[in-house]
Amino acid sequence: MAQKWFETVAIAQRRAEKRLPRSVYGALVAGSEKGLSSKDNLASFDELGFAPHVAGLSNDRNLATTVMGQSLSMPVIISPTGVQAVHPDGEVAMARAAAARGVAMGLSSFASRSIEEVCSASEQVFFQLYWSGDRDRLLQRLDRAKAAGAKGIILTLDWSFSNGRDWGSPWIPEKIDAKAVIKLAPEVLARPAWFWSFAKTGHLPNLTTPNMALPGEPAPTFFGAYYEWMHSTLPSWSDVEWLRSQWSGPFMVKGVSRVDDAKRVVDLGATALSVSNHGGNNLDGTPAPLRSLPAVVDAVGDQIEVVLDGGVRRGSDVVKALALGANAVMIGRASLWGLAAAGQAGVENVLDILRGGIDSALMGLGKSDVKELDRTDVLAPADFFRRLG
């Protein structure tokens, strides 16, 4: 039976929860420690209001924009998220959906599908790197990304390896072996549709990270790749500048919250920066990116493109971010809920929801183009904004 259309991202999330085994769903839920940042990512959008017009509205509205040299049908980029084995087609389905809806996709170093497969499914792929391993390994990954056709690099720097969640973390095996099968069998059998979707392919969920493999070597497991990353020497600003110099195309630094860091990103010649707290999975207590966004935008001006990543669930959220100065937003969990609920069609459904919401908000605000949005279009409480650094 065909998957029924869902009208909001919240419904997609509920369907994903019903479809996925408990541990798999739990791995997708945002938050570290107490979950302050992940909650604030969502709450911040709720605190902003709109200042709509009632007449003289525009009948034609343009949602298209350009970010990191890529023409986008709307100001949305799919954020890189690791191991998308919630569906048999994983990141390939995500890429096909992005291509079908005219948006770019970020592909994680920790993805379950290779950059070659994903770039074959979409011509607008940005490859995401962590500072993992030595410089030779980083260069090998850059060379591989270029050869595969990646249009840009996203360097993610906001990670402090926070451990533990007050509500408990799911058990995720390093590989699907006899022990894992026995331990996870009860919850997998409780979700037969998810199990059958993989059984039909003849393959179990892939928990390896092919984009972290060295030439001629098998792909490491997720935890093997994570171990390398966690034990790598932390980068200096000169290291980041060196990496930027090794890539001739568009280059984004993801995870910026502070004004002083944003200025350093400008100085090293990056094309874009992402205001992000890693979906609330990083240092708990970091404010929502939406609160920090205007200060960063004011500090960098038009020297660099600014993207917001964190908490976007609606087209109206996209419009709020653009009104506060973002050039575009990135979506992570919203697209994952769609993928888990209905594969490629589910991701396309999510992107259609966002498109409809952006268009509706533009109409209400009397705008004919997303580039016309400004801070007078939103209402914020007096204590809403944060300036860090």
Side-chain angles (χ1 to χ4, degrees), residues 25-39:
Y25 177 79
L28 302 185
V29 176
S32 64
E33 299 182 334
K34 193 175 181 179
L36 297 172
S37 292
S38 59
K39 292 174 184 175

Side-chain angles (χ1 to χ4, degrees), residues 47-55 57 316 319-320 323 360-367 373-380:
E47 293 178 32
L48 286 185
F50 283 122
H53 293 283
V54 294
L57 308 180
S316 59
V319 169
K320 289 173 182 178
S360 178
L362 280 183
M363 180 176 69
L365 293 170
K367 305 294 184 179
L373 292 162
D374 61 42
R375 294 179 193 179
T376 64
D377 294 315
V378 294
L379 303 173

Side-chain angles (χ1 to χ4, degrees), residues 67-72 103-107 115 118-128 142 144-154 244 247-252 271:
V67 178
M68 288 182 68
Q70 296 301 301
S71 296
L72 309 177
V103 301
M105 172 184 170
L107 177 68
I115 188 170
V118 173
C119 284
S120 293
S122 172
E123 295 182 353
Q124 294 183 297
V125 176
F126 303 134
F127 183 60
Q128 179 267 347
L142 287 182
R144 183 178 175 186
K146 183 176 181 179
K151 296 300 189 293
I153 293 296
I154 299 173
R244 199 283 172 263
W247 181 265
S248 59
F251 188 96
M252 176 191 292
T271 313

Side-chain angles (χ1 to χ4, degrees), residues 322-387:
L322 268 59
L324 294 182
N327 297 96
V329 305
M330 302 179 86
I331 59 166
R333 281 173 183 80
S335 54
L336 283 175
W337 303 139
L339 180 67
Q344 177 182 341
V347 180
E348 291 176 3
N349 193 155
V350 166
L351 293 172
D352 289 343
I353 289 168
L354 295 181
R355 174 178 291 281
I358 295 169
D359 185 71
S360 178
L362 280 183
M363 180 176 69
L365 293 170
K367 305 294 184 179
S368 61
D369 195 298
V370 289
K371 299 179 184 66
E372 295 175 359
L373 292 162
D374 61 42
R375 294 179 193 179
T376 64
D377 294 315
V378 294
L379 303 173
D383 62 347
F384 179 83
F385 298 108
R386 304 285 186 272
R387 179 187 172 92

